[in-house]
Amino acid sequence: MKYLKYILFMLSILGFSQENISGKIVEANAKNNDMGIAGANVYWLNTEVGTVTDIDGNFTLSYAPEYKKMVISYVGYKTDTLTINEPKFVRHSLKRNNDLDEVVVTSRKQTTAKSYLKAQNIMTVSSDELLKAACCNLSESFETNPSIDVNFADAITGTRQIKMLGLTSPYILIATENIPSIRGASQAYGLSFIPGTWVESIQITKGAGSVINGFESIAGQINTELVKPSTDDKLFVNLYGATNERLELNTHINTKVGKRWHTGLYIHGNTHNKKHDVNDDGFLDMPLFNQINIMNRWQYIDTEKGFVSFVNLKYLNDEKQTGELDFNPDTDKLSTNSWGSEIDTKRYEVSAKFGYVNPDVPWQSLGVQTAFSSHAQESYFGLNQYNITHNSLYANAIYNSIISDSRHKIKTGLSYTYDHYDELVNTEDYERTENSVGAFFEYSFDNLELFNLTAGIRIDHHNLLGTFITPRVHARYSPWSKSAFRASFGRGKRSANIFTENQQLFSTSRQINILNSGGNIYGLDPEIAWNYGVSYLQGFNLFGRKADITFDYYKTDFKNQVVVDWENPAEINFYNLNGKSFANSFQVEVNCNPFEGLDFRTAYKYYDVKTDYNSGRLEKPLTPKHRFFANLGYITNRGEGERSRWKFDVTYNWLSDQRYASTTGKPAAYQLPERTPTVATVNTQITRVFSPKFEVYLGGENITNVRQPNPILAAEDPFGANFDSTFVYGPIFGSMYYAGLRYKIK
């Protein structure tokens, strides 16, 4: 009955009836004729009804028959007034104001943007924001973002894991162009398989996501938009080198093929073949690795008939070796001669997106998304062997339209997912097939000046999880100018891939135990959680310039969770939740632009993440309760001919103490205190832009050289009972400096 209430609630709001108008504002005479202008003012003449364009130049504005004149303005551009007689899609080009001979005023596009108008709490991160740090892959793309926490999963593999709302990445739906991509076998290392230069923008959604993307999202969604062959540079080269002798090369080659086709070849390679052991524990500080990553991307555009499509072909080969300094895989593999590990991954992907927008009825559109991937990982960690093969198929069809008028939008469609897993854990083989068929419906009511709401529901039939309903609701209320109160709630359900999501367990001497046997997946039941959130965004003027402050509070309440219990230092136990498990997250964030060229962002975050373990209710290990973040960026005025400039960026992170999992019972030499020390790190980067074609950058990570001492327990006896590499709370590499260059031809 409770699900019926949600359905009736969504249907009851269909009684509203208003109209709006949408469009896109672009720069006239730009080499990229689709270059949107962010922050342009769009309003009805002689009224207070207006909005601003988003990061891509898109806008939506309420419409009434008495509104006839639409004004479009932006600093440094000529103001235009358009005559509008009916609601329709408006695409308009603004021309630069060349009448100002002596003074030219320009405004920079924001590198991160929050919407005052959307019901969901979404932050959009542009590629310019990613250039502020050594963003070599997606796992390193969040160093300047306070909403995502980044830390190392263990002291062996050098793998970075991310967290949102106090929960690790398996609870975040991570998608590439709205196709779920980092899931299943790719959970542990998949973020390092998307090069940073391939990323056009990242959308971070806190809390319950959209039902369109599936039922697995619990803490939020991260969607990565890739660069488009039609708008990317014809040639782009990025060369990166670091003091730890890590080298990377990215090359993009894009060309137009015929009248409507564009294609791009994207090649990424990285390598590190130098052994480092700065802390003298006998283990490599970071793994040796080689990766080749290739994508061929095709784009088709027919604006006259309303068709657009993308086809992506990807190939990845990733090889890692880590362990003791004198480990030789040819002679020491799976032996006690020397402790070592190899992780070899081969991955193939094919994906396609097809979209149709009715040229005569632009609010009607149809989209189809399909993707197939084959992921094979062969690996061992000391004497532990772990292999996994994961073949996945995904399909999603979406229909968009309106009810009565453009204030009432609907999205509906069908989805299908197929996953086949084959895992070898030492001598045990785990094989299973999962498939699900689902239908979804999402309704949006949009009154931009005051209120909008998005309510969605989906029903899925899963061969192992059963038939279930997933409701999700988002609402926004703006009682005064530059304000947005938001509230959301939603349900998520997922099957926990306990081995691939916790691969750090293999770099320990712990015994692996699964304590339940009645469930369909490893004997365990699926994870189910509700997420509730409220948020308040307020814009204001500081020193005559734009600023904003955001307050977020989110609560994730698990109805069932696969508990990963590290509290017995000799074991790792997996079992179904018996009691409560929750994650509470509070964040306050301030963004301001005190003067031209200077951007400042700071945030404070509080976590309360606890679980009822078999030994009692405890804080989640290695999760700081408090975090303070600050980022300062400065860009000099453009040089002569608007060709050259300097960019300076500094990021500061402070983490409070964190709880260690229990080490009681170990010998005194290997017992850890109850809590870790606090940690503070500083990253910085300087970029010199010489011209639109060429720039160089120089930076440092952890420049204060903070390093966790002895991150590996019993490193001197890696085959003994006390060996454990999972007690990582801070940096393990020390300072790292890097330099690089970017060259591009438009």
Side-chain angles (χ1 to χ4, degrees):
M1 285 296 296
K2 64 179 181 180
Y3 298 126
L4 181 60
K5 294 179 181 178
Y6 300 135
I7 298 173
L8 294 175
F9 170 68
M10 289 188 292
L11 294 177
S12 67
I13 58 181
L14 295 178
F16 294 96
S17 180
Q18 289 177 295
E19 292 185 288
N20 62 3
I21 190 169
S22 61
K24 182 169 186 175
I25 308 304
V26 299
E27 181 178 342
N29 301 322
K31 291 183 178 179
N32 174 5
N33 58 13
D34 199 45
M35 179 66 72
I37 299 177
N41 299 301
V42 184
Y43 60 94
W44 296 110
L45 186 65
N46 298 324
T47 75
E48 295 183 356
V49 180
T51 186
V52 295
T53 56
D54 66 14
I55 197 168
D56 296 314
N58 299 310
F59 73 90
T60 305
L61 183 64
S62 62
Y63 172 80
E66 61 267 25
Y67 300 153
K68 296 297 183 183
K69 300 292 184 180
M70 176 187 288
V71 182
I72 305 169
S73 67
Y74 189 64
V75 176
Y77 291 76
K78 292 183 177 180
T79 298
D80 289 339
T81 303
L82 309 181
T83 300
I84 305 294
N85 294 317
E86 60 181 350
K88 61 181 179 180
F89 185 86
V90 175
R91 179 185 174 91
H92 184 71
S93 302
L94 278 186
K95 295 181 180 179
R96 289 185 177 273
N97 193 342
N98 297 320
D99 296 335
L100 303 177
D101 295 330
E102 296 184 4
V103 180
V104 177
V105 180
T106 60
S107 177
R108 291 180 295 110
K109 185 177 181 179
Q110 288 182 311
T111 57
T112 61
K114 296 180 180 179
S115 173
Y116 290 92
L117 305 176
K118 294 181 180 178
Q120 292 181 318
N121 187 4
I122 300 176
M123 172 184 287
T124 301
V125 180
S126 73
S127 58
D128 290 337
E129 178 71 17
L130 305 183
L131 298 180
K132 291 183 176 182
C135 172
C136 297
N137 57 61
L138 192 59
S139 71
E140 300 166 319
S141 299
F142 304 102
E143 298 288 351
T144 62
N145 189 293
S147 297
I148 305 294
D149 301 309
V150 184
N151 195 22
F152 291 101
D154 58 72
I156 293 289
T157 63
T159 304
R160 298 181 191 238
Q161 65 176 2
I162 64 171
K163 296 180 182 179
M164 181 190 295
L165 308 184
L167 298 173
T168 53
S169 57
Y171 297 106
I172 309 168
L173 193 153
I174 305 177
T176 302
E177 300 188 318
N178 290 311
I179 296 176
S181 56
I182 310 298
R183 56 185 300 274
S186 63
Q187 274 288 354
Y189 309 113
L191 288 171
S192 66
F193 297 161
I194 301 179
T197 65
W198 294 7
V199 177
E200 181 180 75
S201 65
I202 301 172
Q203 294 83 46
I204 301 171
T205 304
K206 287 186 176 182
S210 171
V211 294
I212 295 171
N213 300 117
F215 53 80
E216 294 179 329
S217 170
I218 291 177
Q221 295 185 183
I222 297 176
N223 179 58
T224 301
E225 286 292 326
L226 304 181
V227 293
K228 312 296 189 292
S230 62
T231 57
D232 192 23
D233 302 312
K234 289 183 178 179
L235 174 66
F236 175 82
V237 178
N238 178 59
L239 179 63
Y240 167 96
T243 52
N244 57 21
E245 300 189 45
R246 173 181 175 178
L247 297 174
E248 299 211 1
L249 176 64
N250 292 277
T251 303
H252 304 180
I253 303 171
N254 295 283
T255 186
K256 187 173 183 179
V257 182
K259 184 179 179 181
R260 297 184 176 91
W261 283 96
H262 294 78
T263 186
L265 180 64
Y266 304 85
I267 303 173
H268 167 86
N270 66 62
T271 182
H272 175 254
N273 292 302
K274 180 70 173 181
K275 295 184 176 182
H276 298 274
D277 182 22
V278 178
N279 59 6
D280 296 321
D281 63 358
F283 276 75
L284 296 175
D285 291 336
M286 64 182 299
L288 310 178
F289 56 76
N290 292 284
Q291 183 187 113
I292 183 70
N293 201 342
I294 301 173
M295 176 175 66
N296 182 209
R297 187 160 162 82
W298 291 81
Q299 179 181 7
Y300 176 85
I301 305 174
D302 186 345
T303 55
E304 294 179 359
K305 296 183 179 180
F307 289 101
V308 63
S309 65
F310 292 92
V311 178
N312 299 329
L313 308 172
K314 297 182 185 177
Y315 167 77
L316 168 87
N317 185 31
D318 184 74
E319 299 175 347
K320 294 184 178 71
Q321 176 193 322
T322 190
E324 292 186 282
L325 282 173
D326 56 357
F327 171 73
N328 183 344
D330 294 332
T331 57
D332 302 333
K333 177 179 179 180
L334 293 171
S335 77
T336 57
N337 297 337
S338 181
W339 197 100
S341 169
E342 288 186 292
I343 308 165
D344 296 338
T345 303
K346 287 184 172 60
R347 183 176 176 89
Y348 305 87
E349 294 180 57
V350 180
S351 63
K353 295 175 64 175
F354 305 93
Y356 170 72
V357 178
N358 190 329
D360 300 320
V361 189
W363 57 81
Q364 290 184 352
S365 65
L366 178 67
V368 177
Q369 303 167 313
T370 60
F372 171 79
S373 64
S374 176
H375 183 111
Q377 175 187 323
E378 296 184 358
S379 54
Y380 61 90
F381 307 81
L383 298 179
N384 289 317
Q385 187 172 5
Y386 179 66
N387 297 335
I388 180 170
T389 300
H390 177 196
N391 293 321
S392 177
L393 177 64
Y394 172 84
N396 200 26
I398 309 168
Y399 173 72
N400 297 265
S401 189
I402 63 174
I403 300 175
S404 176
D405 58 61
S406 57
R407 287 288 182 169
H408 306 275
K409 299 182 179 69
I410 62 166
K411 296 180 181 180
T412 187
L414 302 171
S415 63
Y416 174 76
T417 304
Y418 168 89
D419 295 288
H420 179 76
Y421 298 93
D422 190 0
E423 296 175 278
L424 176 66
V425 182
N426 293 322
T427 58
E428 287 286 329
D429 186 69
Y430 297 88
E431 186 174 2
R432 75 180 190 275
T433 297
E434 296 187 33
N435 57 70
S436 66
V437 178
F440 55 85
F441 177 85
E442 186 174 84
Y443 166 79
S444 296
F445 169 73
D446 216 346
N447 180 345
L448 291 176
E449 287 74 37
L450 187 64
F451 175 77
N452 61 351
L453 179 143
T454 300
I457 194 165
R458 64 178 295 136
I459 181 169
D460 291 272
H461 175 73
H462 191 286
N463 66 316
L464 299 181
L465 307 185
T467 301
F468 53 95
I469 293 176
T470 303
R472 290 175 185 167
V473 175
H474 302 261
R476 176 199 63 91
Y477 175 64
S478 296
W480 48 75
S481 176
K482 295 183 179 179
S483 68
F485 284 96
R486 291 185 172 93
S488 67
F489 70 86
R491 182 180 189 267
K493 189 172 184 177
R494 64 181 296 271
S495 54
N497 292 283
I498 59 175
F499 297 116
T500 191
E501 293 170 7
N502 299 278
Q503 291 191 43
Q504 67 269 31
L505 69 88
F506 295 119
S507 298
T508 72
S509 61
R510 295 172 183 259
Q511 179 180 331
I512 303 170
N513 300 317
I514 302 175
L515 303 186
N516 297 91
S517 58
N520 290 328
I521 303 169
Y522 308 106
L524 300 165
D525 294 329
E527 296 189 299
I528 302 172
W530 286 86
N531 184 281
Y532 312 90
V534 291
S535 174
Y536 173 59
L537 169 64
Q538 179 64 58
F540 58 95
N541 289 328
L542 182 66
F543 308 122
R545 306 188 68 86
K546 292 181 180 180
D548 62 71
I549 185 169
T550 307
F551 299 91
D552 290 332
Y553 176 77
Y554 286 88
K555 179 179 181 65
T556 305
D557 185 17
F558 283 91
K559 300 306 177 184
N560 183 55
Q561 186 177 25
V562 174
V563 178
V564 185
D565 189 341
W566 300 83
E567 299 307 313
N568 184 333
E571 302 175 350
I572 177 169
N573 294 307
F574 298 98
Y575 51 85
N576 293 321
L577 177 68
N578 184 16
K580 291 188 175 182
S581 181
F582 57 85
N584 299 325
S585 170
F586 170 77
Q587 178 174 317
V588 55
E589 178 182 345
V590 177
N591 295 273
C592 62
N593 177 220
F595 56 84
E596 181 63 30
L598 182 68
D599 293 308
F600 179 65
R601 181 185 310 135
T602 186
Y604 164 75
K605 185 152 51 182
Y606 171 79
Y607 285 140
D608 180 24
V609 186
K610 293 180 180 177
T611 298
D612 286 342
Y613 296 92
N614 286 344
S615 54
R617 182 170 298 181
L618 298 169
E619 290 180 31
K620 186 176 181 180
L622 300 175
T623 301
K625 275 194 170 184
H626 308 277
R627 177 190 175 193
F628 177 75
F629 167 94
N631 174 262
L632 187 68
Y634 177 67
I635 301 179
T636 63
N637 292 329
R638 293 179 182 267
E640 182 179 353
E642 300 187 1
R643 298 179 64 82
S644 62
R645 58 168 51 187
W646 289 89
K647 300 179 182 180
F648 303 89
D649 291 284
V650 180
T651 302
Y652 173 79
N653 267 294
W654 178 84
L655 305 178
S656 67
D657 59 309
Q658 307 165 49
R659 187 182 76 85
Y660 276 124
S662 176
T663 53
T664 303
K666 283 185 175 291
Y670 302 119
Q671 289 189 16
L672 297 171
E674 184 177 338
R675 306 192 73 85
T676 73
T678 61
V679 177
T681 59
V682 178
N683 299 343
T684 186
Q685 181 175 286
I686 300 173
T687 303
R688 174 64 162 131
V689 180
F690 290 97
S691 73
K693 291 184 178 181
F694 182 68
E695 61 187 64
V696 297
Y697 55 94
L698 175 68
E701 292 188 348
N702 188 20
I703 62 175
T704 53
N705 200 33
V706 175
R707 186 168 61 243
Q708 177 180 340
N710 305 317
I712 302 176
L713 284 186
E716 74 285 356
D717 184 20
F719 296 101
N722 299 303
F723 178 71
D724 200 318
S725 67
T726 61
F727 294 100
V728 177
Y729 64 84
I732 56 179
F733 296 159
S735 297
M736 187 274 289
Y737 296 92
Y738 60 88
L741 61 86
R742 303 183 185 99
Y743 177 77
K744 50 193 173 183
I745 298 176
K746 297 291 186 180

